[in-house]
Each structure stands twice: as C-alpha cells, then as structure tokens.
Amino acid sequence: MERQPRQPTTKNPPERFTGDVWLDMIASPREPGQHLLAAMVRFAPGARTAWHSHALGQTLHITQGVAWVQGRGGDKIVATAGETLYCPSGEEHWHGAAPDAFMEHLAMSDCLDDVAASTTWLEHVTDEEYRS
Ligand code: MN
C-alpha cells in the first residue's frame, strides 16, 4: 500500500469547458491492464463541459450541489448529491452545474491504451442549449 502524493488542482481548459471548472485527478492507470480514470471535478454555477463522448462510457457520481446533464437528443437531467448517472460508450453529452449552484462530481471511466483518445471533444454547449 502506498500513500499517493496529492496532485495540484488544475483548471480545465476553456477550449473544452464554459465557465470555471477545476479538476483533482484521483486515479489513472499505473500497471499493465489497468484502465481506471477517476477525477473529482468542481463546476462554478453555470459552468459546463463542451459536448463530448467517452470511448468506454463514463459514470458520474454527484457529491455536491446541483448537476445538469444531457445526452444528445435527450431530455436534460437534474441530479443532486448522492445520485449516480451513467453515460454509455460513444454517447455525445455534456455535464455541468445549474445556473445558481455549484456542482461537484466524481467522474469515473475506463480509458483506452491511448488515454488522450478516450474522450472525443466537440463543440461548446451554447447558452440556448444549456437553458433549454
Ligand atoms: Mn462526460
């Protein structure tokens, strides 16, 4: 058993996020055959990801605040602390905070051997899409 050094909190890039979003990496592959990626992500009110998809799906566990989540063509889902959402492999979606509340979630996914190829980033979520 090894205690892991705490990684610095990083701010997510504006090319892929609207508003202020901070990330604390928790787990990434260390040994052959491992694919777990886990991060705690904090969104300021109104902040959200761009549209994107995960090659091997993603589980989101809301730990604080009010989350707004939507799959392409689907209804917006409002979720609060303690709820868990699953996004299937390849489904285009976004996730973020409600306009009037912070949101924190634990994001968990399996990555490909090429970690960078595990998430496909698309266009930003417009204010119209966010509010609809
Ligand atoms: Mn996602």
Side-chain angles (χ1 to χ4, degrees):
M1 185 64 71
E2 306 166 14
R3 189 194 304 271
Q4 296 301 307
R6 193 182 161 282
Q7 305 289 320
T9 299
T10 58
K11 197 162 187 184
N12 280 346
E15 302 79 32
R16 294 173 174 175
F17 295 82
T18 298
D20 290 341
V21 182
W22 290 268
L23 179 131
D24 284 295
M25 206 64 198
I26 295 174
S28 54
R30 294 166 186 281
E31 297 178 44
Q34 293 185 345
H35 297 281
L36 174 66
L37 279 181
M40 191 67 83
V41 192
R42 297 177 172 90
F43 296 77
R48 67 266 190 182
T49 68
W51 287 98
H52 65 283
S53 63
H54 304 282
L56 297 174
Q58 182 180 50
T59 298
L60 300 173
H61 181 75
I62 315 304
T63 49
Q64 288 191 54
V66 182
W68 282 12
V69 181
Q70 188 175 28
R72 187 85 78 178
D75 292 333
K76 184 161 60 194
I77 296 170
V78 178
T80 56
E83 291 191 86
T84 303
L85 304 165
Y86 177 68
C87 180
S89 301
E91 182 181 285
E92 295 179 2
H93 68 288
W94 58 269
H95 26 117
D100 58 353
F102 277 83
M103 187 275 279
E104 177 190 78
H105 66 43
L106 184 58
M108 295 163 280
S109 60
D110 288 305
C111 62
L112 302 171
D113 290 336
D114 178 1
V115 176
S118 302
T119 302
T120 300
W121 289 98
L122 303 163
E123 75 279 12
H124 279 295
V125 174
T126 64
D127 288 344
E128 200 170 54
E129 290 173 314
Y130 175 73
R131 300 237 171 225
S132 68

